[in-house]
Amino acid sequence: MSAPLDLTPAASKDSVIRPRRNGNSRNTEVTRLLPRSLLISVTAFLCAIVLIPMLYIVLASLNTDVGVANGELIPSTFTAENYSKIWTTVRLGNGLANSLLVAGTTAVVCATLSVSTAYVLVRFTFKGRLGILRGLLAMQSIPGTLMVLPVFVLFSSAATYLGVTIIGTHWGLFLTYLTFALPFSTWVMVTYLRGLPKELEEAARIDGASSMGILFRIIIPLSWPGIVVSGIFAFLLGWNDVLFASVITRPDTQTAAVALQIFGAATEGGAVPPYGQMMAAALVCAAPVVILYLIFQRYLVGGLTAGGVK
């Protein structure tokens, strides 16, 4: 007696013999470096390191100076007087205005110059190109503390020999920040532009576009994440700097960081230092940077990761 014929399709046999695997779960297991419980614990620990000091600063800014000095974590009496006093005792308004003017101008000019400079360094070949790129990296290794005295002597000499006053002016501080921020911003844009496809520029040249037209119509619209990153880093350099601002500025051009430093030094040796006003002033000075990060968050992620994957 002959064996019965097997009329089951080949696809059905394969599906029975080899069950379908879930690719998504496998990829999740491969890419996950830590177990889920340990990952949650590490994330919670890192968030606590950042949020607990911030929470203490917020509570201390709403507390009295005596309460902060006594070590009260939660204020016994909540008060908002510290936020109203800092505008007269710390002269925070003048410092914030100077910081916004100098750091904002530095960020805009630095982002504009860095994208055009990086476009030339990436897309054109000329003598000394590699030397410029290596020089940009070498300038990042020079500590800023070594440049304070040379910069001060150079600016002072300009007033003596050229009759141009630089010390104590806004644009003198702007030139200082631009000198240190432009190499880093240019290197960020060089890394970003290397990841842009050249085919778009070649197609534009076939249509008759010039180099300036390609820069303004193709490169800049596609480079917003990198431009934002370079501008924000330049802004932070000017916003957080105390060393150069304390040497180059005068009382009416002092930045917010210098005003906080002077306020903290002036209150030393007193009966009860104004801890509440210090905490309130620190929060007010940190607010513009936090707002800036929240506004440009999506650009920051794209700009910082650009060039990492080809």
Side-chain angles (χ1 to χ4, degrees):
M1 185 175 180
S2 60
L5 297 176
D6 188 2
L7 301 179
T8 304
S12 300
K13 291 181 179 180
D14 294 339
S15 61
V16 173
I17 297 174
R18 292 184 296 272
R20 183 178 300 175
R21 296 180 179 179
N22 191 350
N24 295 331
S25 60
R26 183 178 181 179
N27 292 335
T28 304
E29 294 176 357
V30 171
T31 56
R32 181 178 295 171
L33 300 178
L34 299 174
R36 184 177 180 84
S37 59
L38 184 59
L39 181 62
I40 294 175
S41 302
V42 172
T43 304
F45 176 73
L46 295 177
C47 290
I49 292 177
V50 178
L51 295 179
I52 290 178
M54 289 299 300
L55 180 61
Y56 175 76
I57 294 175
V58 172
L59 293 177
S61 66
L62 299 174
N63 199 355
T64 60
D65 298 334
V66 178
V68 177
N70 292 333
E72 295 181 358
L73 298 179
I74 299 178
S76 57
T77 302
F78 287 88
T79 177
E81 293 182 355
N82 295 321
Y83 289 93
S84 61
K85 292 180 180 179
I86 57 177
W87 305 104
T88 56
T89 56
V90 190
R91 296 185 60 189
L92 197 58
N94 183 51
L96 286 175
N98 293 328
S99 294
L100 288 174
L101 176 62
V102 177
T105 306
T106 303
V108 173
V109 175
C110 191
T112 304
L113 293 179
S114 63
V115 65
S116 56
T117 305
Y119 174 67
V120 175
L121 293 174
V122 172
R123 293 295 189 253
F124 296 92
T125 302
F126 53 91
K127 187 177 181 179
R129 172 176 169 271
L130 293 178
I132 295 175
L133 290 174
R134 291 167 182 169
L136 293 176
L137 286 177
M139 293 182 68
Q140 302 303 315
S141 61
I142 301 176
T145 54
L146 297 180
M147 301 301 295
V148 176
L149 183 59
V151 169
F152 181 79
V153 173
L154 179 63
F155 287 172
S156 300
S157 301
T160 304
Y161 297 102
L162 301 178
V164 179
T165 303
I166 301 178
I167 300 295
T169 60
H170 291 103
W171 68 276
L173 198 59
F174 160 75
L175 289 177
T176 305
Y177 294 154
L178 186 64
T179 302
F180 291 96
L182 189 57
F184 178 79
S185 299
T186 303
W187 189 256
V188 170
M189 291 307 305
V190 166
T191 306
Y192 189 88
L193 293 184
R194 282 176 177 173
L196 295 181
K198 296 182 180 179
E199 290 77 10
L200 296 175
E201 302 174 34
E202 295 173 355
R205 291 192 183 276
I206 293 175
D207 293 336
S210 61
S211 298
M212 294 298 294
I214 293 175
L215 176 62
F216 286 100
R217 297 182 181 180
I218 296 178
I219 299 299
I220 292 180
L222 293 177
S223 303
W224 276 115
I227 294 174
V228 169
V229 170
S230 61
I232 286 180
F233 274 100
F235 181 86
L236 291 178
L237 175 65
W239 188 267
N240 296 327
D241 175 69
V242 179
L243 185 62
F244 289 95
S246 60
V247 174
I248 298 176
T249 60
R250 58 175 182 260
D252 58 334
T253 58
Q254 288 175 350
T255 60
V258 178
L260 287 178
Q261 182 193 31
I262 295 175
F263 178 68
T267 56
E268 293 180 357
V272 178
Y275 293 116
Q277 296 184 42
M278 292 181 184
M279 300 299 180
L283 288 177
V284 172
C285 291
V289 179
V290 175
I291 295 174
L292 196 66
Y293 270 99
L294 292 178
I295 294 175
F296 296 104
Q297 182 180 6
R298 61 190 185 96
Y299 292 105
L300 283 171
V301 174
L304 290 175
T305 57
V309 179
K310 294 293 184 180

